[in-house]
Amino acid sequence: MSMLTAHQLAASRHFEGPALTLAIPGSGKTTLLLHRLIYLADECDIPPEQILTLTFSKASAGDMRRRYDSLFADKYPYRFPFMTIHRFAYDILKQYLNGTGQKMQLLEDSRKKFAIIAELYRNRHQEPLTEDVYETLLNAFGRYYNLKLSESDVQAENGDQKNVKKTALDTYALFKAYHRYKKQHQLFDFDDMLLYAIKILDQNPKALAFFRNRFPFIQVDEAQDTSKLQFELIEKIAAPRHNLFLVADDDQSIYGFRGAYPQYLLDFPKRFKSASAYYLEDNFRSDAYIVDTAAGVIAENKVRYEKAMHAARPAVNPPAIHLFDDIIERNTFIADQLHTYSGSKAILYRNRISALSLIAALSDTVTDSFYIKDPPIQELSHWMIEDIKAFMTLAMIPQDLEAFKRIAFRTNGYISREMVNSVLNQISMRGALDRLIELPYLEDYQTRTLEGLKSRFEMLSRLRPYDAIHFIETDLGYLDYLRQNGERFGYTMQAIRTRLDAYKAIAKPLTSTVAFFSKLEALKETLVNLNQADAETTLSTIHGAKGLEFDTVFIIDINAHIFPSDDPGLLEEERRLFYVALTRAKDAVHLCHADFVNGGYNEASIFIDSVRRQDASETVSDSAEIKTASR
């Protein structure tokens, strides 16, 4: 076997009883887990099939199996079981259903699941379900399941925030309706697997004894991502011997929105008084500057295990902070810089909308191939970009009633529902705004307002796309509409401005509305056809990049009110997310911040200040230097 550090060797030799290994990024936790498997099988004579290794994701389970086969299978041809916790729960449920003859169907078709929830949502709200609301609902549903939250729990955790509480309780009611639907139609989804598996083991002592005997030794990888419900299932199988070996980093727990429960790790020594503790403190991945910076940042969290972090590599490149006027300037910088670095490169961001303008810039200027993990295809069909397109379409084609109907209430024209219906019920070749103006029951002031609106749409038809979006926001009142309805949509003004700024960045080099529409369609095609195999650069959310590593990393949109959000209860998890982003980098990390977003000052995140305190290097773009000097 390959050489292990003293810390890895000590942990790999753990035999019986509960144990927690705290492993910092790049410290070789997978290496540890694989060596421990060999130790248990080869030196402790534990049958390989009785040692279960559970992972957070299917990809991690597959990667662990591949790594074992490539490194050790020739000398140690054991067949160890690697699987996700959900897959393990599914095996329990499937065995039970086969034994009892009950018929239940796994709801794994994402389109069918969307259709079910969309229908329940429509019945409750009388409006269609959008992709972004659907994603929010799924995360909430998973959190309710995995933290075992009741309606009173949901009510209590939102305190006195009246509107937030109403939204949360409404989401919980939809969650219950979805659960009832599944029961009525004998369906179950991935979250149900855990609940059903626990229920089966509680009610069937023979089944519980079978699985305890089948897997007397359990290893859990990435245990910080495990939920309360998952831990309940794991503990049930591990009892009473508790040969439970967890490898985790509480500083990398970033899935609270899905129900991850890092508090379990903090409570582990209390739950198991005899538990052994091991520490992997050597980072073999990153430049020492990166390790020290990341350590300084995460030390600002209070609810965590204190741990040492040692870099095995020398200090060469301190993290760099780059300041720009806007995201167009930032995108140009990144596109140029990509050519100067060899090896693997990544551009990481908090929210998927951040990728849009970058994709447009890279597809125009970068000859190196790039790949997007979880491509934001739905962002190109987001209701806000569809609104922008409807404004532009009505300006080009005044007779387009679908475009008119979509944006009639989003302008500053004071158009009523009665007026819209009157226009839609007319049989005429006249433009929609002309039909409005000619309505016989309008007061003079209403007619003058609508004539002004028509004049502004005529002006809109003559503008380049970048200027057109700005005109829609300001002269046509769209930004006021978004500001007034932002809370209902679940968007802060910062998030709204970020989204509009991305659309403007795409539009900036284009000269016509047709070119803008064509560019959006071309971007969809680009996203569908990207090939990961040939990619030199990866674009990803930070969540999507967890577990990966790259030679060079650019982190973008580290903006106040977005990363971290304004919710103080999420600050420590958001800081953990930033820590994960920093520690993906091996050789160099660049933090890129635009001082202005959609024409307004864009305050930098407190995380950039955290990096500054670690003596990071800082640069500004040429125009930013001029701007600073002129203040």
Side-chain angles (χ1 to χ4, degrees), residues 550-566:
F550 307 92
D551 295 308
T552 304
V553 169
F554 297 84
I555 310 174
I556 64 171
D557 284 358
I558 317 166
N559 305 335
H561 312 295
I562 287 182
F563 190 24
S565 70
D566 290 326

Side-chain angles (χ1 to χ4, degrees), residues 296-323:
V297 168
I298 200 61
E300 296 180 24
N301 273 2
K302 306 301 181 190
V303 185
R304 61 185 292 265
Y305 283 105
E306 287 192 27
K307 54 183 79 71
M309 299 187 197
H310 307 296
R313 296 179 53 194
V316 179
N317 296 312
I321 300 169
H322 307 278
L323 305 179

Side-chain angles (χ1 to χ4, degrees), residues 497-515:
R497 289 184 180 278
T498 297
R499 188 172 289 279
L500 291 170
D501 206 40
Y503 302 154
K504 285 183 177 177
I506 295 170
K508 183 68 171 178
L510 306 174
T511 59
S512 70
T513 298
V514 172

Side-chain angles (χ1 to χ4, degrees), residues 327-348:
I327 66 170
I328 296 172
E329 194 176 72
R330 180 206 67 196
N331 292 348
T332 301
F333 168 81
I334 292 175
D336 290 342
Q337 285 292 304
L338 290 177
H339 296 295
T340 67
Y341 289 97
S342 59
S344 58
K345 294 157 281 191
I347 305 168
L348 306 181

Side-chain angles (χ1 to χ4, degrees), residues 164-413:
V164 175
K165 181 184 289 187
K166 182 179 182 302
T167 301
L169 290 175
D170 190 72
T171 301
Y172 193 83
L174 193 65
F175 161 70
K176 298 298 287 184
Y178 172 56
H179 191 62
R180 285 193 298 272
Y181 180 95
K182 287 182 293 181
K183 288 192 74 173
Q184 290 167 1
H185 295 83
Q186 294 183 301
L187 298 170
F188 65 95
D189 62 16
F190 287 96
D191 288 319
D192 291 319
M193 290 178 190
L194 299 167
L195 281 172
Y196 284 131
I198 290 170
K199 191 174 180 180
I200 289 165
L201 297 178
D202 282 342
Q203 296 177 355
N204 297 270
K206 288 185 178 179
L208 179 58
F210 171 82
F211 283 102
R212 283 177 172 175
N213 290 328
R214 182 179 175 187
F215 297 119
F217 287 82
I218 299 176
Q219 298 190 141
V220 183
D221 185 26
E222 302 282 15
Q224 75 277 354
D225 297 327
T226 307
S227 72
K228 184 183 288 188
L229 198 62
Q230 291 167 345
F231 278 127
E232 184 178 340
L233 175 61
I234 292 166
E235 274 197 17
K236 200 172 291 293
I237 300 297
R241 288 167 286 196
H242 300 302
N243 294 328
L244 179 60
F245 187 83
L246 307 184
V247 178
D249 182 3
D250 55 308
D251 290 330
Q252 294 189 72
S253 181
I254 59 174
Y255 292 104
F257 63 93
R258 291 183 188 167
Y261 191 60
Q263 187 63 40
Y264 183 92
L265 301 180
L266 300 174
D267 294 340
F268 195 77
K270 299 175 189 174
R271 298 178 74 88
F272 302 102
K273 302 297 184 184
S274 62
S276 300
Y278 304 96
Y279 297 86
L280 303 189
E281 300 174 333
D282 299 305
N283 181 307
F284 300 100
R285 174 188 299 156
S286 304
D287 183 299
Y289 274 128
I290 297 172
V291 174
D292 292 345
T293 298
V297 168
I298 200 61
E300 296 180 24
N301 273 2
K302 306 301 181 190
V303 185
R304 61 185 292 265
Y305 283 105
E306 287 192 27
K307 54 183 79 71
M309 299 187 197
H310 307 296
R313 296 179 53 194
V316 179
N317 296 312
I321 300 169
H322 307 278
L323 305 179
F324 307 94
D325 261 355
D326 55 33
I327 66 170
I328 296 172
E329 194 176 72
R330 180 206 67 196
N331 292 348
T332 301
F333 168 81
I334 292 175
D336 290 342
Q337 285 292 304
L338 290 177
H339 296 295
T340 67
Y341 289 97
S342 59
S344 58
K345 294 157 281 191
I347 305 168
L348 306 181
Y349 35 84
R350 176 68 179 82
N351 301 318
R352 277 180 295 184
I353 183 62
S354 297
L356 267 193
S357 66
L358 262 170
I359 297 162
L362 297 181
S363 61
D364 288 339
T365 62
V366 175
T367 55
D368 295 344
S369 60
F370 62 94
Y371 164 71
I372 305 174
K373 202 169 187 292
D374 191 17
I377 297 173
Q378 66 274 25
E379 291 290 353
L380 291 164
S381 302
H382 191 275
W383 58 265
M384 209 179 290
I385 193 64
E386 293 299 327
D387 283 355
I388 296 292
K389 288 166 63 179
F391 275 104
M392 293 179 172
T393 298
L394 188 62
M396 283 195 307
I397 310 171
Q399 296 82 8
D400 193 314
L401 295 184
E402 284 300 314
F404 167 73
K405 184 168 66 172
R406 182 177 186 94
I407 54 87
F409 306 126
R410 289 155 164 75
T411 71
N412 53 11

Side-chain angles (χ1 to χ4, degrees), residues 24-62:
I24 71 168
S27 59
K29 63 179 182 60
T30 302
T31 298
L32 158 65
L33 286 166
L34 297 181
H35 277 81
R36 182 169 181 266
L37 288 175
I38 294 170
Y39 170 74
L40 291 176
D42 204 51
E43 298 190 34
C44 302
D45 295 323
I46 306 299
E49 65 275 9
Q50 291 186 4
I51 312 167
L52 174 63
T53 300
L54 295 172
T55 66
F56 179 66
S57 69
K58 186 177 179 180
S60 296

